[in-house]
Short mmCIF file of all heavy atoms in Angstrom, two decimals:
data_model
loop_
_atom_site.label_atom_id
_atom_site.label_comp_id
_atom_site.label_asym_id
_atom_site.label_seq_id
_atom_site.Cartn_x
_atom_site.Cartn_y
_atom_site.Cartn_z
N ARG A 30 10.30 11.17 8.39
CA ARG A 30 11.41 12.12 8.45
C ARG A 30 12.58 11.61 7.62
O ARG A 30 12.84 10.41 7.55
CB ARG A 30 11.88 12.32 9.90
CG ARG A 30 10.82 12.93 10.81
CD ARG A 30 11.35 13.20 12.22
NE ARG A 30 11.70 11.96 12.92
CZ ARG A 30 12.84 11.75 13.55
NH1 ARG A 30 13.78 12.68 13.55
NH2 ARG A 30 13.05 10.62 14.18
N PHE A 31 13.28 12.55 7.01
CA PHE A 31 14.54 12.21 6.34
C PHE A 31 15.50 13.39 6.48
O PHE A 31 15.09 14.50 6.84
CB PHE A 31 14.32 11.84 4.85
CG PHE A 31 13.85 12.98 3.99
CD1 PHE A 31 14.75 13.79 3.32
CD2 PHE A 31 12.49 13.24 3.83
CE1 PHE A 31 14.31 14.84 2.51
CE2 PHE A 31 12.05 14.28 3.02
CZ PHE A 31 12.95 15.08 2.36
N LYS A 32 16.78 13.12 6.20
CA LYS A 32 17.84 14.10 6.45
C LYS A 32 18.62 14.38 5.19
O LYS A 32 18.88 13.47 4.39
CB LYS A 32 18.78 13.56 7.54
CG LYS A 32 19.91 14.48 7.93
CD LYS A 32 20.75 13.83 9.03
CE LYS A 32 21.91 14.72 9.48
NZ LYS A 32 22.71 14.07 10.53
N ASN A 33 19.00 15.66 5.02
CA ASN A 33 19.88 16.03 3.91
C ASN A 33 21.31 15.72 4.31
O ASN A 33 21.95 16.48 5.03
CB ASN A 33 19.72 17.50 3.56
CG ASN A 33 20.66 17.93 2.43
OD1 ASN A 33 21.29 17.08 1.78
ND2 ASN A 33 20.76 19.22 2.20
N ASN A 34 21.82 14.58 3.83
CA ASN A 34 23.20 14.20 4.14
C ASN A 34 24.14 14.57 2.99
O ASN A 34 25.23 14.01 2.89
CB ASN A 34 23.28 12.71 4.44
CG ASN A 34 22.67 11.85 3.33
OD1 ASN A 34 22.00 12.37 2.46
ND2 ASN A 34 22.89 10.55 3.39
N HIS A 35 23.73 15.50 2.14
CA HIS A 35 24.57 15.97 1.04
C HIS A 35 25.30 17.24 1.45
O HIS A 35 24.97 17.88 2.46
CB HIS A 35 23.71 16.26 -0.19
CG HIS A 35 23.24 15.02 -0.89
ND1 HIS A 35 22.70 15.04 -2.16
CD2 HIS A 35 23.23 13.72 -0.51
CE1 HIS A 35 22.38 13.81 -2.52
NE2 HIS A 35 22.69 12.99 -1.52
N ALA A 36 26.28 17.63 0.65
CA ALA A 36 27.02 18.87 0.89
C ALA A 36 26.28 20.09 0.37
O ALA A 36 26.55 21.22 0.79
CB ALA A 36 28.41 18.78 0.25
N TYR A 37 25.37 19.88 -0.56
CA TYR A 37 24.57 20.97 -1.14
C TYR A 37 23.15 20.95 -0.58
O TYR A 37 22.67 19.89 -0.13
CB TYR A 37 24.51 20.83 -2.66
CG TYR A 37 25.73 21.32 -3.40
CD1 TYR A 37 26.82 20.48 -3.61
CD2 TYR A 37 25.79 22.61 -3.92
CE1 TYR A 37 27.94 20.91 -4.29
CE2 TYR A 37 26.91 23.06 -4.61
CZ TYR A 37 27.98 22.21 -4.80
OH TYR A 37 29.09 22.65 -5.49
N PRO A 38 22.45 22.07 -0.62
CA PRO A 38 21.05 22.09 -0.22
C PRO A 38 20.19 21.26 -1.18
O PRO A 38 20.56 21.02 -2.33
CB PRO A 38 20.67 23.57 -0.28
CG PRO A 38 21.96 24.31 -0.28
CD PRO A 38 22.96 23.42 -0.95
N ILE A 39 19.05 20.83 -0.68
CA ILE A 39 18.05 20.17 -1.53
C ILE A 39 16.73 20.91 -1.38
O ILE A 39 16.50 21.62 -0.39
CB ILE A 39 17.88 18.68 -1.18
CG1 ILE A 39 17.35 18.52 0.25
CG2 ILE A 39 19.17 17.91 -1.38
CD1 ILE A 39 16.94 17.10 0.60
N LYS A 40 15.86 20.72 -2.38
CA LYS A 40 14.55 21.38 -2.36
C LYS A 40 13.49 20.41 -2.86
O LYS A 40 13.71 19.66 -3.82
CB LYS A 40 14.57 22.64 -3.21
CG LYS A 40 13.23 23.38 -3.23
CD LYS A 40 13.36 24.76 -3.83
CE LYS A 40 13.57 24.71 -5.33
NZ LYS A 40 13.51 26.08 -5.93
N LEU A 41 12.33 20.45 -2.20
CA LEU A 41 11.19 19.65 -2.64
C LEU A 41 10.35 20.48 -3.61
O LEU A 41 10.00 21.63 -3.32
CB LEU A 41 10.33 19.23 -1.45
CG LEU A 41 10.98 18.34 -0.39
CD1 LEU A 41 9.96 17.96 0.67
CD2 LEU A 41 11.57 17.09 -1.01
N SER A 42 10.06 19.88 -4.74
CA SER A 42 9.17 20.52 -5.72
C SER A 42 7.97 19.61 -5.90
O SER A 42 8.10 18.48 -6.40
CB SER A 42 9.90 20.72 -7.05
OG SER A 42 9.01 21.24 -8.04
N LEU A 43 6.79 20.06 -5.48
CA LEU A 43 5.57 19.26 -5.54
C LEU A 43 4.51 19.99 -6.37
O LEU A 43 4.40 21.23 -6.30
CB LEU A 43 5.01 18.98 -4.15
CG LEU A 43 5.63 17.84 -3.34
CD1 LEU A 43 7.00 18.25 -2.81
CD2 LEU A 43 4.73 17.41 -2.21
N SER A 44 3.76 19.23 -7.11
CA SER A 44 2.61 19.78 -7.84
C SER A 44 1.47 18.77 -7.78
O SER A 44 1.69 17.57 -7.57
CB SER A 44 2.98 20.10 -9.29
OG SER A 44 3.34 18.91 -9.99
N PHE A 45 0.24 19.25 -8.00
CA PHE A 45 -0.94 18.40 -7.98
C PHE A 45 -1.88 18.87 -9.07
O PHE A 45 -2.56 19.89 -8.93
CB PHE A 45 -1.60 18.46 -6.60
CG PHE A 45 -2.76 17.53 -6.43
CD1 PHE A 45 -2.68 16.21 -6.85
CD2 PHE A 45 -3.94 17.96 -5.83
CE1 PHE A 45 -3.75 15.33 -6.68
CE2 PHE A 45 -5.00 17.10 -5.64
CZ PHE A 45 -4.90 15.78 -6.07
N GLU A 46 -1.88 18.13 -10.18
CA GLU A 46 -2.71 18.49 -11.32
C GLU A 46 -3.39 17.23 -11.86
O GLU A 46 -2.75 16.18 -11.99
CB GLU A 46 -1.87 19.12 -12.43
CG GLU A 46 -1.23 20.45 -12.04
CD GLU A 46 -0.39 21.02 -13.16
OE1 GLU A 46 -0.31 20.38 -14.23
OE2 GLU A 46 0.21 22.10 -12.96
N ASN A 47 -4.69 17.39 -12.18
CA ASN A 47 -5.47 16.29 -12.75
C ASN A 47 -5.36 15.04 -11.87
O ASN A 47 -5.19 13.92 -12.37
CB ASN A 47 -5.02 15.98 -14.18
CG ASN A 47 -5.16 17.17 -15.11
OD1 ASN A 47 -6.16 17.91 -15.01
ND2 ASN A 47 -4.19 17.37 -15.98
N ASN A 48 -5.43 15.28 -10.55
CA ASN A 48 -5.39 14.21 -9.55
C ASN A 48 -4.04 13.48 -9.49
O ASN A 48 -3.95 12.39 -8.89
CB ASN A 48 -6.51 13.19 -9.79
CG ASN A 48 -7.88 13.81 -9.67
OD1 ASN A 48 -8.07 14.79 -8.95
ND2 ASN A 48 -8.86 13.26 -10.39
N VAL A 49 -3.00 14.02 -10.12
CA VAL A 49 -1.68 13.41 -10.11
C VAL A 49 -0.74 14.23 -9.22
O VAL A 49 -0.58 15.45 -9.43
CB VAL A 49 -1.10 13.28 -11.52
CG1 VAL A 49 0.34 12.71 -11.47
CG2 VAL A 49 -1.97 12.38 -12.38
N ILE A 50 -0.14 13.54 -8.25
CA ILE A 50 0.86 14.19 -7.39
C ILE A 50 2.23 13.93 -8.02
O ILE A 50 2.59 12.78 -8.28
CB ILE A 50 0.85 13.62 -5.97
CG1 ILE A 50 -0.53 13.74 -5.32
CG2 ILE A 50 1.91 14.31 -5.10
CD1 ILE A 50 -0.65 12.99 -4.01
N THR A 51 2.98 14.99 -8.28
CA THR A 51 4.34 14.87 -8.79
C THR A 51 5.31 15.42 -7.76
O THR A 51 5.16 16.56 -7.31
CB THR A 51 4.51 15.62 -10.12
OG1 THR A 51 3.58 15.09 -11.08
CG2 THR A 51 5.93 15.46 -10.65
N VAL A 52 6.28 14.59 -7.37
CA VAL A 52 7.31 15.01 -6.42
C VAL A 52 8.66 14.96 -7.10
O VAL A 52 9.01 13.95 -7.72
CB VAL A 52 7.32 14.10 -5.17
CG1 VAL A 52 8.50 14.47 -4.26
CG2 VAL A 52 6.01 14.21 -4.41
N GLN A 53 9.39 16.05 -7.01
CA GLN A 53 10.79 16.09 -7.46
C GLN A 53 11.66 16.54 -6.28
O GLN A 53 11.31 17.50 -5.59
CB GLN A 53 10.98 17.04 -8.63
CG GLN A 53 10.42 16.55 -9.96
CD GLN A 53 10.78 17.49 -11.09
OE1 GLN A 53 10.77 18.71 -10.94
NE2 GLN A 53 11.09 16.92 -12.26
N ILE A 54 12.75 15.82 -6.08
CA ILE A 54 13.74 16.24 -5.07
C ILE A 54 14.91 16.82 -5.85
O ILE A 54 15.63 16.11 -6.56
CB ILE A 54 14.19 15.05 -4.20
CG1 ILE A 54 12.98 14.45 -3.49
CG2 ILE A 54 15.24 15.51 -3.19
CD1 ILE A 54 13.31 13.21 -2.66
N LEU A 55 15.07 18.14 -5.74
CA LEU A 55 16.08 18.85 -6.50
C LEU A 55 17.32 19.06 -5.65
O LEU A 55 17.23 19.30 -4.44
CB LEU A 55 15.54 20.21 -6.96
CG LEU A 55 14.22 20.17 -7.77
CD1 LEU A 55 13.78 21.58 -8.11
CD2 LEU A 55 14.38 19.33 -9.02
N GLY A 56 18.46 18.98 -6.27
CA GLY A 56 19.71 19.19 -5.56
C GLY A 56 20.87 19.20 -6.52
O GLY A 56 20.74 19.63 -7.66
N THR A 57 21.99 18.71 -6.04
CA THR A 57 23.22 18.66 -6.85
C THR A 57 23.74 17.23 -6.81
O THR A 57 23.99 16.69 -5.73
CB THR A 57 24.27 19.63 -6.29
OG1 THR A 57 23.70 20.94 -6.23
CG2 THR A 57 25.50 19.65 -7.18
N GLN A 58 23.90 16.65 -7.97
CA GLN A 58 24.40 15.28 -8.04
C GLN A 58 25.86 15.25 -7.61
O GLN A 58 26.72 15.85 -8.25
CB GLN A 58 24.26 14.74 -9.48
CG GLN A 58 24.48 13.26 -9.60
CD GLN A 58 23.38 12.43 -8.94
OE1 GLN A 58 22.19 12.76 -9.08
NE2 GLN A 58 23.76 11.40 -8.21
N GLU A 59 26.13 14.59 -6.52
CA GLU A 59 27.48 14.58 -5.96
C GLU A 59 28.19 13.25 -6.19
O GLU A 59 29.33 13.08 -5.76
CB GLU A 59 27.41 14.88 -4.45
CG GLU A 59 26.80 16.25 -4.15
CD GLU A 59 26.62 16.48 -2.65
OE1 GLU A 59 27.09 15.65 -1.86
OE2 GLU A 59 26.01 17.50 -2.28
N SER A 60 27.53 12.32 -6.83
CA SER A 60 28.13 11.00 -7.08
C SER A 60 27.79 10.56 -8.50
O SER A 60 26.77 10.95 -9.06
CB SER A 60 27.60 9.99 -6.05
OG SER A 60 27.97 8.67 -6.41
N ASP A 61 28.67 9.74 -9.05
CA ASP A 61 28.42 9.20 -10.39
C ASP A 61 27.48 8.01 -10.35
O ASP A 61 27.08 7.50 -11.40
CB ASP A 61 29.74 8.76 -11.04
CG ASP A 61 30.65 9.95 -11.32
OD1 ASP A 61 30.12 11.06 -11.49
OD2 ASP A 61 31.89 9.76 -11.35
N LEU A 62 27.13 7.55 -9.16
CA LEU A 62 26.26 6.38 -9.04
C LEU A 62 24.80 6.78 -9.18
O LEU A 62 24.38 7.86 -8.73
CB LEU A 62 26.47 5.70 -7.69
CG LEU A 62 27.88 5.17 -7.39
CD1 LEU A 62 27.93 4.56 -5.99
CD2 LEU A 62 28.33 4.17 -8.44
N SER A 63 24.02 5.94 -9.80
CA SER A 63 22.58 6.12 -9.88
C SER A 63 21.91 5.18 -8.90
O SER A 63 22.46 4.12 -8.55
CB SER A 63 22.07 5.86 -11.30
OG SER A 63 22.39 4.53 -11.72
N VAL A 64 20.71 5.54 -8.46
CA VAL A 64 20.02 4.78 -7.42
C VAL A 64 18.66 4.32 -7.95
O VAL A 64 17.92 5.10 -8.55
CB VAL A 64 19.82 5.64 -6.15
CG1 VAL A 64 19.14 4.80 -5.05
CG2 VAL A 64 21.14 6.17 -5.65
N LYS A 65 18.34 3.06 -7.70
CA LYS A 65 17.04 2.51 -8.05
C LYS A 65 16.47 1.77 -6.86
O LYS A 65 17.21 1.11 -6.10
CB LYS A 65 17.16 1.56 -9.24
CG LYS A 65 17.56 2.24 -10.55
CD LYS A 65 17.62 1.25 -11.69
CE LYS A 65 18.05 1.94 -13.00
NZ LYS A 65 18.11 0.97 -14.13
N CYS A 66 15.16 1.90 -6.71
CA CYS A 66 14.49 1.23 -5.60
C CYS A 66 14.14 -0.21 -5.99
O CYS A 66 13.72 -0.49 -7.12
CB CYS A 66 13.23 2.00 -5.21
SG CYS A 66 12.23 1.19 -3.95
N ARG A 67 14.29 -1.10 -5.03
CA ARG A 67 13.93 -2.51 -5.24
C ARG A 67 13.20 -3.00 -4.00
O ARG A 67 13.65 -2.80 -2.88
CB ARG A 67 15.19 -3.34 -5.48
CG ARG A 67 14.95 -4.85 -5.57
CD ARG A 67 16.22 -5.56 -6.05
NE ARG A 67 17.38 -5.22 -5.25
CZ ARG A 67 17.74 -5.90 -4.17
NH1 ARG A 67 17.01 -6.92 -3.73
NH2 ARG A 67 18.83 -5.55 -3.51
N VAL A 68 12.03 -3.67 -4.23
CA VAL A 68 11.24 -4.21 -3.13
C VAL A 68 11.13 -5.72 -3.32
O VAL A 68 10.75 -6.20 -4.39
CB VAL A 68 9.84 -3.57 -3.08
CG1 VAL A 68 9.04 -4.18 -1.93
CG2 VAL A 68 9.95 -2.06 -2.92
N GLU A 69 11.46 -6.45 -2.27
CA GLU A 69 11.37 -7.91 -2.31
C GLU A 69 10.29 -8.37 -1.32
O GLU A 69 10.26 -7.91 -0.17
CB GLU A 69 12.71 -8.55 -1.92
CG GLU A 69 13.81 -8.38 -2.95
CD GLU A 69 15.07 -9.15 -2.57
OE1 GLU A 69 15.05 -9.79 -1.48
OE2 GLU A 69 16.04 -9.10 -3.33
N GLN A 70 9.42 -9.27 -1.80
CA GLN A 70 8.41 -9.84 -0.91
C GLN A 70 9.07 -10.97 -0.11
O GLN A 70 9.66 -11.90 -0.66
CB GLN A 70 7.23 -10.38 -1.72
CG GLN A 70 6.10 -10.85 -0.84
CD GLN A 70 4.84 -11.17 -1.65
OE1 GLN A 70 4.83 -11.07 -2.88
NE2 GLN A 70 3.77 -11.55 -0.95
N THR A 71 8.93 -10.90 1.17
CA THR A 71 9.58 -11.88 2.05
C THR A 71 8.57 -12.80 2.73
O THR A 71 8.97 -13.76 3.40
CB THR A 71 10.40 -11.16 3.13
OG1 THR A 71 9.54 -10.30 3.87
CG2 THR A 71 11.52 -10.36 2.50
N GLY A 72 7.29 -12.52 2.59
CA GLY A 72 6.23 -13.33 3.18
C GLY A 72 4.93 -13.01 2.49
O GLY A 72 4.87 -12.26 1.51
N GLU A 73 3.84 -13.57 3.04
CA GLU A 73 2.54 -13.34 2.40
C GLU A 73 2.20 -11.87 2.33
O GLU A 73 1.70 -11.38 1.31
CB GLU A 73 1.46 -14.11 3.15
CG GLU A 73 0.08 -13.99 2.49
CD GLU A 73 -0.98 -14.80 3.22
OE1 GLU A 73 -0.62 -15.52 4.17
OE2 GLU A 73 -2.15 -14.70 2.85
N MET A 74 2.48 -11.14 3.41
CA MET A 74 2.19 -9.70 3.44
C MET A 74 3.38 -8.92 4.02
O MET A 74 3.19 -7.89 4.65
CB MET A 74 0.93 -9.44 4.28
CG MET A 74 -0.34 -10.07 3.72
SD MET A 74 -0.89 -9.27 2.20
CE MET A 74 -1.56 -7.75 2.82
N THR A 75 4.59 -9.38 3.79
CA THR A 75 5.79 -8.69 4.28
C THR A 75 6.73 -8.40 3.12
O THR A 75 6.86 -9.21 2.19
CB THR A 75 6.53 -9.53 5.34
OG1 THR A 75 6.94 -10.76 4.76
CG2 THR A 75 5.62 -9.80 6.54
#
């Protein structure tokens, strides 16, 4: 589960072609900041 904590609506756009799932989360950019995901390994399997 996740929540729309923006002031504008958001929409999920999904497609499945040639065994590739493409997900786009459409909305309105309300901040000048960009977001990137980072994953750190903290243990053998954590």
